[in-house]
Amino acid sequence: MLGFLIALVIGFWLLKVFFKIGFKLLGLIFTVIIGLFLIRVFLWLGVAILAIGGIALLALPFQN
């Protein structure tokens, strides 16, 4: 019975360690995926702002 309890404690400790490592890896993967998505969104926003600024600069000489 004592050996079973010791094995149970060691098993739960190993599960905790594996889950902690697994959740850190999952968090890292999701952080990278979300970061790449946000970079893409902000790059498109930057392109849109540059286009609007370019149009404004090109239209500047035509104003009366």
Side-chain angles (χ1 to χ4, degrees), residues 22-38:
F23 283 130
K24 282 186 181 179
L25 284 175
L26 273 176
L28 184 68
I29 290 169
F30 279 118
T31 303
V32 168
I33 290 171
I34 291 171
L36 289 174
F37 175 73
L38 286 177

Side-chain angles (χ1 to χ4, degrees), residues 4-55:
F4 176 72
L5 287 175
I6 291 172
L8 205 60
V9 168
I10 292 173
F12 278 131
W13 180 79
L14 283 173
L15 267 177
K16 184 185 81 163
V17 169
F18 284 131
F19 273 113
K20 190 180 285 188
I21 293 171
F23 283 130
K24 282 186 181 179
L25 284 175
L26 273 176
L28 184 68
I29 290 169
F30 279 118
T31 303
V32 168
I33 290 171
I34 291 171
L36 289 174
F37 175 73
L38 286 177
I39 285 173
R40 196 171 72 186
V41 167
F42 284 112
L43 281 175
W44 278 112
L45 277 174
V47 168
I49 290 171
L50 283 175
I52 291 170
I55 290 171

